[in-house]
């Protein structure tokens, strides 16, 4: 298209569309309206895929434990190993599966059309959900079938690496922060709505409906996963019907879709005026120091948030004498509110980053998280209530070394006669309860608000900076490693906090977390100047244009 033709008045388009076209014309590039619509339809399909991946994790998280207990009861199995510690493995299996699969799917997407790993991974999730719905059929080892089903759901969720690598390759630098924020918002909404869907399905009840011919029980435990399987099938259909491969370079120019490791983005020169053609074939090396640094920062961010999620229920039970039912109910409300807060933050940072830049916002987010955990440190002199119910008839039950070494989720409540209520307060088996000041409810709520503000900021800025650092080369494997580091953090975080909190108490646990965040801030300071876009680093764009 001639330059004169490209300068004709732009009629019939919104202000945002006109601005986008002006920017493209300034670079000598005109993206056709049809190409633009197709590109963003495909990106919206990726948003949906990200949403469904997070729904797959959260939609059964509240019902796994009662479902396992119900299965053992119906099958008349007495399995002492199917305790709360095994529940921890079932929950962790999702992250383990995702950690293993992310690099594999990312590598696949570098060499083959992305539709292939997306469809296969979603099909694995659908099959895994169906397996979960049928774990009642075998007459033994049901808990291992449940474990396998959740691990396979996590394996299918490894496609988030493909999703983020596609979005990074299908957006220009000016579009990427907004697109990454939308992706994270869809993920957050999925985590919020999953438990909501589960709550709605409780109306079916434990018995529900049984189709004897196909051995299917549709009840409050199986309906959510079957609903998730249905959503997955719809997602596969949309991927085939709507999703198309699109790539643009950092300046927004259309690229030929080349999924080959090591090749840079090569664009369609027929859409570019001769005066604006850059030497895009000039090879540039990725700054691997910056890549490793962002992986470390992302690991810390997911690690501290996993700690926060894990510690919420036992902390409130110990500090405020809440029963299990109250702790689950109140913390569910709090986490839902944090989820809503996160979605709002995702929307705000899209605008804010244009004024301050991603690095400054990431720095501010880490500082907010640090303050949030610092607020949780115990102060004052008031001690938490103790579970004195354990001391009956002048007899103190003996605790074996094995029990003392167990994480808090494995500690069984004191068995009381039927006319007594559930023990409440800080268990005497945790020796720190006798000398550690309590954390006031105002501290806890303030910390929730601060962490709910800092975490989404750090999350979206990490992904955005990472994709910009990698530049035009295929990002599947790199995004796979970033996703794997986050999954590893979600596995190690609960293990870390369970051991430190149980044996040493909240003062040590939160002090160590503060120390970890401080180290991450120091790392950010050291690599701050290296966290720049690939095109800026190699002199193809000015930093202020990013």
């Amino acid at each position: 298209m001639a330059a004169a033709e490209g300068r004709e008045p732009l009629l019939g388009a919104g202000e945002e569309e006109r601005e986008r076209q002006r920017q493209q014309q300034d670079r000598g590039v005109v993206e056709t309206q049809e190409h633009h619509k197709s590109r963003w339809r495909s990106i919206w399909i990726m948003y949906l895929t990200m949403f469904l991946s997070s729904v797959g994790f959260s939609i059964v998280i509240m019902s796994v434990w009662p479902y396992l207990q119900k299965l053992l009861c119906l099958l008349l199995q007495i399995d002492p190993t199917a305790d709360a510690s095994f529940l921890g493995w079932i929950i962790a299996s999702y992250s383990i599966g995702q950690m293993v699969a992310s690099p594999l799917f990312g590598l696949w997407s570098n060499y083959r059309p992305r539709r292939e790993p997306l469809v296969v991974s979603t099909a694995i999730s659908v099959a895994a959900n169906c397996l979960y719905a049928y774990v009642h059929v075998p007459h033994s080892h049901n808990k291992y079938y449940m474990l396998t089903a959740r691990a396979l759901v996590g394996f299918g969720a490894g496609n988030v690496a493909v999703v983020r690598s596609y979005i990074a390759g299908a957006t220009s630098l000016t579009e990427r922060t907004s697109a990454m924020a939308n992706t994270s918002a869809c993920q957050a909404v999925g985590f919020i709505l999953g438990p909501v869907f589960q709550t709605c399905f409780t109306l079916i009840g434990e018995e529900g409906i049984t189709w004897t011919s196909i051995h299917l029980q549709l009840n409050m435990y199986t309906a959510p996963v079957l609903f998730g399987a249905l959503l997955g099938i719809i997602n596969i259909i949309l991927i085939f019907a709507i999703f198309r491969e699109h790539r643009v370079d950092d300046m927004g120019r259309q690229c030929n879709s080349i999924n080959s490791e090591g090749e840079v983005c090569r664009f369609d020169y027929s859409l570019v005026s001769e005066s604006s053609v850059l030497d895009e074939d000039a090879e540039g090396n990725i700054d691997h120091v910056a890549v490793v640094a962002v992986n470390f920062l992302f690991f810390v961010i997911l690690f501290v948030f996993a700690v926060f999620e894990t510690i919420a229920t036992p902390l409130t039970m110990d500090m405020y004498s809440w029963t299990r039912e109250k702790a689950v109910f109140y913390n569910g409300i709090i986490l839902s509110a944090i989820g809503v807060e996160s979605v709002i933050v995702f929307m705000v940072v899209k605008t804010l980053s244009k004024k301050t830049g991603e690095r400054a916002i990431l720095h501010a987010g880490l500082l907010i998280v640090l303050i949030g955990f610092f607020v949780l440190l115990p102060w004052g002199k008031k001690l938490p209530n103790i579970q004195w119910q354990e001391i009956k008839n002048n007899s103190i039950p003996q605790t074996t070394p094995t029990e003392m070494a167990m994480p808090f989720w494995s500690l069984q409540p004191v068995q009381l006669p039927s006319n007594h209520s559930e023990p409440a307060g800080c268990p005497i088996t945790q020796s720190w309860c006798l000398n550690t000041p309590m954390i006031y409810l105002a501290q806890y709520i303030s910390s929730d608000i601060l962490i709910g503000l800092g975490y989404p900021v750090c999350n979206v800025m990490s992904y955005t900076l990472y994709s910009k650092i990698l530049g035009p080369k295929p990002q599947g494997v790199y995004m796979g490693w970033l996703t794997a580091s986050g999954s590893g953090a979600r596995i190690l975080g609960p293990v870390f906090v369970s051991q430190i909190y149980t044996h040493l108490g909240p003062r040590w646990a939160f002090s160590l977390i503060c120390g970890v965040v401080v180290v991450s801030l120091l790392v950010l300071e050291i690599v701050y100047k290296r966290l720049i876009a690939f095109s800026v680093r190699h002199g193809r764009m000015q930093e202020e244009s990013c």
Side-chain angles (χ1 to χ4, degrees):
M1 182 179 290
E5 293 175 345
R7 291 295 182 181
E8 291 180 358
L10 304 173
L11 301 176
E15 188 63 33
E16 184 176 346
E17 176 68 14
R18 289 198 295 270
E19 179 62 26
R20 180 184 65 80
Q21 293 187 22
R22 287 193 191 99
Q23 291 175 358
Q24 290 181 326
Q25 289 173 346
D26 291 339
R27 297 191 296 264
V29 183
V30 176
E31 181 183 31
T32 65
Q33 186 176 16
E34 182 58 33
H35 181 277
H36 179 74
K37 289 182 178 179
S38 177
R39 180 164 65 92
W40 279 98
R41 280 197 299 264
S42 299
I43 291 174
W44 275 96
I45 295 299
M46 295 300 94
Y47 292 162
L48 174 64
T49 303
M50 180 65 77
F51 169 78
L52 295 180
S53 294
S54 58
V55 168
F57 171 78
S58 61
I59 198 168
V60 300
I61 204 68
M62 294 189 301
S63 65
V64 171
W65 179 238
Y67 187 32
L68 179 60
Q69 295 298 301
K70 176 181 172 62
L71 287 175
L72 295 178
C73 179
L74 289 176
L75 297 171
L76 301 178
Q77 294 179 9
I78 300 176
D79 189 350
T81 64
D83 55 11
S85 61
F86 191 81
L87 172 66
W89 281 108
I90 292 178
I91 294 174
S93 64
Y94 177 94
S95 296
I96 294 173
Q98 188 179 52
M99 182 174 64
V100 172
S102 296
L104 298 178
F105 285 131
L107 180 65
W108 188 353
S109 71
N110 277 359
Y111 290 93
R112 297 290 300 171
R114 291 183 178 88
R115 179 183 283 118
E116 294 179 6
L118 287 171
V119 170
V120 170
S121 60
T122 306
I124 291 174
S125 295
V126 170
N129 281 325
C130 293
L131 173 61
Y132 186 92
Y134 277 93
V135 296
H136 65 279
V137 174
H139 297 293
S140 62
H141 306 299
N142 305 80
K143 65 178 185 179
Y144 296 112
Y145 290 108
M146 182 180 288
L147 180 71
T148 302
R150 293 302 296 166
L152 287 175
V153 171
F155 192 89
N159 61 15
V160 299
V162 183
V163 170
R164 291 194 183 274
S165 67
Y166 176 82
I167 292 175
T171 53
S172 65
L173 287 185
T174 55
E175 297 170 328
R176 198 164 303 159
T177 300
S178 176
M180 287 294 181
N182 291 339
T183 306
S184 297
C186 290
Q187 189 176 34
V189 171
F191 282 122
I192 295 171
L193 293 184
V196 174
F197 291 148
Q198 169 70 79
T199 302
C200 294
F201 285 119
T202 57
L203 299 176
I204 301 176
E206 284 194 330
E207 298 304 323
I209 304 172
T210 301
W211 279 280
T212 307
S213 58
I214 58 175
H215 303 287
L216 177 63
Q217 293 181 358
L218 184 64
N219 53 38
M220 60 181 286
Y221 304 121
T222 61
V225 292
L226 293 174
F227 177 68
L230 175 62
L231 293 178
I233 293 172
I234 294 174
N235 192 24
I236 291 174
I237 295 172
L238 292 175
I239 289 174
F240 277 114
I242 299 176
F243 178 79
R244 298 291 182 271
E245 292 279 349
H246 290 288
R247 290 191 65 197
V248 298
D249 68 355
D250 286 349
M251 297 179 68
R253 296 177 295 195
Q254 300 176 39
C255 303
N256 295 328
S257 183
I258 302 176
N259 285 16
S260 178
E261 185 66 41
E263 292 196 51
V264 298
C265 176
R266 305 180 189 280
F267 54 87
D268 188 349
Y269 288 94
S270 65
L271 298 174
V272 186
S273 63
E274 292 182 5
S275 61
S276 67
V277 173
L278 297 177
D279 185 16
E280 290 293 329
D281 291 338
E283 291 290 341
N285 295 323
I286 295 174
D287 188 346
H288 286 93
V289 173
V291 168
V292 173
V294 175
N295 270 278
F296 171 76
L297 293 173
F298 189 69
F299 177 89
V300 171
I301 293 163
L302 269 292
F303 180 85
V304 298
F305 191 73
V307 167
F308 171 73
E309 286 181 312
T310 304
I311 204 65
T313 298
L315 178 69
T316 52
M317 290 175 67
D318 292 346
M319 293 294 149
Y320 316 124
S321 301
W322 288 355
T323 62
R324 290 190 302 272
E325 183 179 354
K326 284 185 177 181
V328 170
F329 178 73
Y330 292 144
N331 281 297
I333 294 175
I334 292 172
L335 288 176
S336 298
I338 290 176
V340 174
E341 179 188 12
S342 298
V343 173
I344 296 173
V345 171
F346 287 134
M347 299 298 102
V348 172
V349 295
K350 294 194 297 184
T351 302
L352 189 61
S353 64
K354 296 178 182 178
K355 300 179 180 180
T356 63
E358 288 87 1
R359 293 176 296 179
I361 295 179
L362 176 59
H363 194 281
L366 285 171
L367 282 174
I368 293 172
V369 171
L370 175 61
I371 295 172
F373 276 98
F374 183 80
V375 167
L376 271 180
L377 291 174
W379 304 102
K381 297 181 179 180
K382 184 178 180 180
L383 299 177
N385 295 329
I386 308 297
Q387 287 186 13
W388 293 114
Q389 292 96 326
E390 295 191 16
I391 304 179
K392 295 289 182 180
N393 300 323
N394 298 321
S395 174
I396 300 178
Q398 297 297 316
T399 304
T400 66
T402 302
E403 290 172 331
M404 287 296 292
M406 292 171 67
F408 64 81
W409 61 62
S410 299
L411 296 176
Q412 299 299 318
V414 180
Q415 300 298 319
L416 296 176
S418 59
N419 59 337
H420 285 75
S421 61
E422 175 188 337
C426 203
I428 200 170
T429 53
Q430 297 176 165
S431 59
W432 57 264
C433 293
L434 300 175
N435 50 43
T436 302
M438 73 175 295
I439 297 171
Y440 293 96
L441 185 59
Q443 287 179 263
Y444 180 67
I445 298 298
S446 300
S447 175
D448 290 340
I449 295 172
L450 289 170
I451 295 173
L453 174 63
Y455 167 73
V457 168
C458 295
N459 182 288
V460 68
M461 290 301 106
S462 298
Y463 274 117
T464 303
L465 283 170
Y466 194 66
S467 65
K468 290 186 175 183
I469 290 168
L470 296 177
K473 297 185 179 182
Q475 300 186 8
V477 174
Y478 287 100
M479 283 293 179
W481 286 119
L482 188 68
T483 303
S485 67
S487 299
R490 296 190 71 89
I491 297 169
L492 295 178
V495 175
F496 165 84
V497 73
S498 66
Q499 297 299 320
I500 301 299
Y501 179 83
T502 301
H503 296 295
L504 301 177
R507 179 171 284 164
W508 273 95
F510 300 140
S511 294
L512 289 173
I513 291 298
C514 288
V516 170
V517 179
V518 168
V519 170
S520 68
L521 283 167
L522 293 176
V523 170
L524 179 59
E525 287 295 331
I526 293 171
V527 301
Y528 193 86
K529 294 182 178 180
R530 305 185 74 139
L531 302 183
I532 55 177
F534 183 93
S535 298
V536 174
R537 180 169 175 260
H538 292 282
R540 297 173 185 168
M541 294 182 68
Q542 296 296 320
E543 187 167 6
E544 59 267 22
S545 67
C546 300

